[in-house]
Amino acid sequence: MTERPADRKNSRSVRRRSGAAGTAARGDRPVTRAVVLDAALELVDRDGVEALSMRRLAEAVGRDPMVIYRHVPNKAAVLDGVAEIVFARLTVDPTDTDWAGQLRGIARDFRGLALAHPRVVPLLVTRPLATPLGMRPPAVVRPLENILELLTRAGFSGADALHVYRALFGFLYGHVLNELQEVVERPEETDEVLRLGLYRLPIEEFPRVRGLASALAAYDGGAELERGLDILLTGLAATLPGLGR
């Protein structure tokens, strides 16, 4: 049935009113920094960091861009804020007497946050390092403070506690980036060399990589994390002087 001009006009009018109502509904809520950053995190989770702009963020909040600028001065501040609110979800109990168990739990929680927000991981790794320590948001520095407290309570010196923190997060950053980059080229293939695209590597030049095709194909991020923590924590306990055990 052919739509009459009057019907098309009415249909467009309904769509405009519906869209305006949706924007008004979003615009009815008070705008705070937390609201802006939550919207930014949702946008990055869905579309990636590259898709984030102040205009799109304003659309997500349902307000004029100038309103957004009252709470975050620029895109860099938004990116820092997104990293901040994810780091704020990482909890550390500095009173735990099992320092190794607490660090293992922190590592598992960090991996969980990374898997829940894979498109935010580059921000977690890079944004804090782009800012002097004293200028970082408290939520970003809090894990450091609490881990230092945890370890000094356990008998580490301050310098050794800092060494442990750096070793742990250096490992965690590398692990989550590696896990998120594990890509299978042809998941329908049963041959590991074909599944991983290793056939592209000349066997005479990469015999050991090709030879580990089965192990590479069987990658388990959780198991790899635990194995890495075993090595890291055992090494720290064995080599750091003055350790309270």
Side-chain angles (χ1 to χ4, degrees), residues 138-161:
V140 175
V141 184
R142 187 68 57 198
L144 168 60
E145 176 66 24
N146 286 341
I147 288 174
L148 293 177
E149 176 69 15
L150 168 76
L151 295 173
T152 53
R153 281 171 175 260
F156 289 87
S157 69
D160 282 343

Side-chain angles (χ1 to χ4, degrees), residues 15-25:
R15 285 197 297 269
R16 283 196 297 269
R17 288 198 302 270
S18 177
T23 301

Side-chain angles (χ1 to χ4, degrees), residues 73-144:
N74 49 46
K75 181 178 177 178
V78 176
L79 297 178
D80 288 338
V82 169
E84 174 188 348
I85 61 176
V86 175
F87 268 115
R89 299 173 185 177
L90 186 66
T91 59
V92 181
D93 179 6
T95 66
D96 193 342
T97 56
D98 179 8
W99 66 270
Q102 181 65 203
L103 292 184
R104 192 177 290 272
I106 293 167
R108 291 168 180 163
D109 289 348
F110 184 82
R111 174 176 178 262
L113 287 170
L115 295 181
H117 305 282
R119 291 177 168 174
V120 179
V121 167
L123 300 181
L124 302 181
V125 174
T126 62
R127 295 307 299 183
L129 300 179
T131 307
L133 183 61
M135 296 176 64
R136 298 173 195 173
V140 175
V141 184
R142 187 68 57 198
L144 168 60

Side-chain angles (χ1 to χ4, degrees), residues 128-210:
L129 300 179
T131 307
L133 183 61
M135 296 176 64
R136 298 173 195 173
V140 175
V141 184
R142 187 68 57 198
L144 168 60
E145 176 66 24
N146 286 341
I147 288 174
L148 293 177
E149 176 69 15
L150 168 76
L151 295 173
T152 53
R153 281 171 175 260
F156 289 87
S157 69
D160 282 343
L162 182 58
H163 174 73
V164 172
Y165 170 86
R166 287 171 172 164
L168 176 67
F169 275 85
F171 164 67
L172 288 177
Y173 291 155
H175 173 84
V176 297
L177 288 172
N178 185 67
E179 182 171 358
L180 293 173
Q181 290 174 6
E182 285 291 323
V183 178
V184 175
E185 181 181 358
R186 297 182 178 181
E188 73 281 0
E189 293 285 354
T190 57
D191 183 281
E192 288 86 356
V193 171
L194 294 177
R195 288 185 68 223
L196 299 177
L198 297 180
Y199 62 90
R200 302 176 187 278
L201 302 177
I203 194 168
E204 64 274 9
E205 294 183 37
F206 302 96
R208 297 192 183 278
V209 174
R210 291 277 298 261

